[in-house]
Amino acid sequence: MQSLRRSVRFLKSIGSSRCPTAANSLSTRDFFTAINGSSAAKTHVSSLSVMRMASNEGFPSLSLLNQPCCPGLLKMGAVVPPFPSRGMTTEGHRVEAPSHSSGAPAEPPARIKFKRLDKTAKHIMQIIDKEATEEVNGQREIPNIKPGYIIQLKVEVPENKRRVSILKGIVIARRNAGLNTTFRLRRLVAGVGVESLFPLYSPNIKEIKVLDKKKVRRAKLYYLRERMNPLKKK
Amino acid sequence: MSMEAGIGVMGTKLGMMSYFESDGKVVPVTVVGFREGNIVTQVKTQATDGYEAVQVGYRRVRDKKLTKPEMGHLQKVGAIPMRHLQEFRLQSVDGFDPNQRLVVDEIFQEGDLVDVSGTTIGKGFQGGIKRHNFKRGPMTHGSKSHRQLGSIGAGTTPGRVYKGKKMPGRMGGSKRKIRKLKIVKIDKDLNVVMVKGAVPGKPGNLLRITPAKIVGKNIPKN
């Protein structure tokens, strides 16, 4: 299964040399690792395709894409998947492939071993998540927030208010969950300690500025709740 | 028989994640992917079959996996070998030809309401408390019945247990439909649809997605 994925990326990197690809960090990995023993399911099919491939050797052209099963560029007759599409389908986005910003491939190729449904599922989920976080990262600059940092946030509250709330407090916890990564902020509001939970990639958070970093020896600083230090920082 | 509100598609559950709406609200979404498929394999009409329906196939497989009768049925329209065939019963079958590929973008838009049906997660043989939300007995104070059924009927009259009495048994693994889920996003690149809320089954499960049947709107009141 692993090897199939590598083989797909291998082909993609070849294909990407021909096809214009948008700069996508996902694609910039050349996977020239040899595909060890990717057990070819159909040897007779692969022999057919190897013949076809021999005609345009070294040219993973679009004609390649039109064939249901991709010929092996590799000698072991391993049937290598067609030009990868980012979706789950076995049909190529064959015509549109060159215009694709090549995301990491996820599709099980036709006529060859189909990946287990939940494995492709996880793969696509990873892609979606990664893309979403990268998109937000590109828009706003989001620093790395760890527990113990003193933070100043500019949050926009969408309840009929524009640009309010500069919140300042200490990060006491951070929970990593891809796009839904959240962190807890503890601050003193009118003499009362208040903890709030913010999604890191929320479009409401306009700016995050790190003011100070305190040395802590824990990932979750819940002990601060009992402390109630009168200082603004804690 | 009950009809669908419109042609639907089949999809695969991929997983769940959160999606930020433009105003910052976080919605939990299920990501539904589409394998190669959603090709019309047969159009049934009143004249030939007695009812109007469109048969759609899903999920390409290897030739070896299908029996010859199944392959023959698909080859009659010249379709690829597909594993799942489901019918969508419609009021009018115009506009559907055999071997027509159904594109999700054309059928559904963002903001549509859909019904999603699928096989739920199997839970095995389960007792009354989990299966039918029975209440358990006291845990202390000398009680000897904690998770048992309790009484299952009256006395001499009727002198038997009624049919359909809720008892332990196999739970889950059945087909269920979740109604009126909103489509949050359609991603053409990845061929993926994001639906708000949860759907039956685990990632990898086959789903049947149809436009929501809202009486008075899509369905004729009769």
Side-chain angles (χ1 to χ4, degrees):
Chain A
M1 296 284 185
Q2 270 280 323
S3 54
L4 261 180
R5 202 171 285 188
R6 270 178 282 157
S7 68
V8 169
R9 288 196 191 121
F10 167 73
L11 233 205
K12 183 179 60 61
S13 51
I14 294 187
S16 62
S17 57
R18 263 207 85 224
C19 312
T21 59
N24 188 343
S25 59
L26 284 178
S27 66
T28 56
R29 282 178 288 185
D30 56 334
F31 276 64
F32 275 78
T33 58
I35 295 171
N36 355 339
S38 74
S39 42
K42 311 247 168 196
T43 47
H44 70 277
V45 164
S46 61
S47 63
L48 253 182
S49 44
V50 165
M51 275 180 359
R52 268 186 255 166
M53 191 50 201
S55 55
N56 35 3
E57 170 77 279
F59 230 71
S61 54
L62 287 178
S63 64
L64 208 174
L65 311 172
N66 294 330
Q67 288 151 13
C69 114
C70 202
L73 285 174
L74 323 153
K75 292 312 169 194
M76 33 196 97
V79 218
V80 168
F83 198 84
S85 60
R86 287 159 74 226
M88 240 179 104
T89 62
T90 49
E91 69 183 340
H93 293 255
R94 281 174 194 151
V95 185
E96 337 154 22
S99 58
H100 262 255
S101 67
S102 36
E107 59 134 301
R111 270 218 231 154
I112 308 181
K113 279 203 262 206
F114 292 82
K115 292 198 171 153
R116 261 171 51 201
L117 280 169
D118 43 351
K119 275 194 181 177
T120 23
K122 267 190 268 182
H123 194 56
I124 299 186
M125 293 301 293
Q126 271 178 13
I127 300 175
I128 296 180
D129 191 45
K130 216 164 190 185
E131 286 185 359
T133 51
E134 277 168 6
E135 190 191 319
V136 177
N137 266 328
Q139 283 177 3
R140 295 195 288 278
E141 202 234 285
I142 298 182
N144 184 27
I145 303 182
K146 286 168 41 163
Y149 283 26
I150 316 270
I151 287 251
Q152 181 167 318
L153 282 184
K154 278 211 186 107
V155 181
E156 174 186 323
V157 180
E159 294 153 342
N160 306 328
K161 274 197 193 175
R162 300 293 111 161
R163 185 47 75 108
V164 209
S165 308
I166 298 185
L167 307 173
K168 189 164 150 188
I170 183 169
V171 175
I172 59 172
R174 175 194 166 122
R175 169 191 181 261
N176 291 316
L179 186 63
N180 202 16
T181 305
T182 55
F183 64 96
R184 273 183 173 272
L185 198 69
R186 185 179 173 83
R187 53 201 167 96
L188 274 178
V189 173
V192 181
V194 171
E195 277 182 23
S196 0
L197 189 69
F198 297 102
L200 191 58
Y201 296 108
S202 159
N204 276 344
I205 297 184
K206 297 299 172 197
E207 198 192 317
I208 303 181
K209 206 160 51 158
V210 177
L211 301 172
D212 192 15
K213 302 181 189 182
K214 306 226 130 218
K215 178 180 175 203
V216 286
R217 308 201 63 179
R218 255 162 200 62
K220 306 276 191 291
L221 316 175
Y222 296 142
Y223 63 87
L224 291 178
R225 292 172 183 165
E226 279 95 53
R227 281 292 211 70
M228 277 326 291
N229 218 303
L231 289 173
K232 186 90 195 289
K233 303 209 170 162
K234 286 203 179 156
Chain B
M1 258 297 291
S2 59
M3 311 230 179
E4 311 278 355
I7 189 75
V9 286
M10 292 195 260
T12 310
K13 174 173 177 176
L14 291 183
M16 291 191 74
M17 59 184 288
S18 12
Y19 178 76
F20 290 106
E21 292 196 341
S22 49
D23 60 347
K25 218 159 75 151
V26 188
V27 287
V29 289
T30 318
V31 179
V32 180
F34 297 96
R35 289 187 154 250
E36 183 170 9
N38 281 319
I39 301 178
V40 175
T41 50
Q42 191 183 2
V43 177
K44 296 194 174 179
T45 59
Q46 187 71 32
T48 56
D49 301 278
Y51 63 97
E52 311 254 335
V54 175
Q55 191 186 79
V56 179
Y58 187 67
R59 188 156 166 231
R60 185 183 193 142
V61 287
R62 272 188 293 204
D63 299 3
K64 287 214 288 199
K65 298 259 181 181
L66 294 180
T67 62
K68 281 193 186 166
E70 289 172 356
M71 281 299 296
H73 175 69
L74 291 169
Q75 268 163 10
K76 190 171 167 186
V77 287
I80 52 171
M82 288 186 289
R83 171 154 261 162
H84 303 280
L85 292 172
Q86 282 189 5
E87 280 189 12
F88 293 94
R89 187 149 174 198
L90 304 170
Q91 287 187 306
S92 80
V93 219
D94 316 319
F96 294 111
D97 316 300
N99 210 13
Q100 177 191 1
R101 209 165 266 260
L102 296 171
V103 182
V104 185
D105 300 332
E106 297 163 8
I107 306 178
F108 295 113
Q109 264 85 45
E110 295 192 9
D112 271 2
L113 293 178
V114 288
D115 291 345
V116 180
S117 74
T119 319
T120 53
I121 304 178
K123 307 239 158 74
F125 195 97
Q126 290 297 336
I129 295 182
K130 195 178 185 78
R131 196 171 183 228
H132 298 296
N133 298 325
F134 286 168
K135 299 201 188 107
R136 58 175 171 78
M139 286 301 190
T140 63
H141 293 306
S143 158
K144 292 192 190 169
S145 158
H146 304 301
R147 299 182 67 96
Q148 285 171 325
L149 281 180
S151 165
I152 57 174
T156 309
T157 311
R160 60 186 179 96
V161 178
Y162 292 132
K163 269 196 187 294
K165 173 83 191 67
K166 294 184 184 176
M167 286 195 167
R170 183 168 282 190
M171 180 178 166
S174 54
K175 181 178 164 204
R176 289 279 178 262
K177 186 192 276 197
I178 313 275
R179 295 183 59 217
K180 294 210 236 172
L181 295 175
K182 195 165 92 149
I183 294 189
V184 161
K185 190 165 173 218
I186 300 185
D187 191 341
K188 298 188 210 343
D189 230 18
L190 283 169
N191 218 17
V192 135
V193 166
M194 294 203 195
V195 173
K196 177 175 173 187
V199 297
K202 296 248 189 191
N205 196 24
L206 178 73
L207 300 172
R208 177 186 162 112
I209 304 170
T210 53
K213 279 163 87 163
I214 306 175
V215 174
K217 271 209 206 168
N218 294 354
I219 306 291
K221 277 201 246 192
N222 53 346

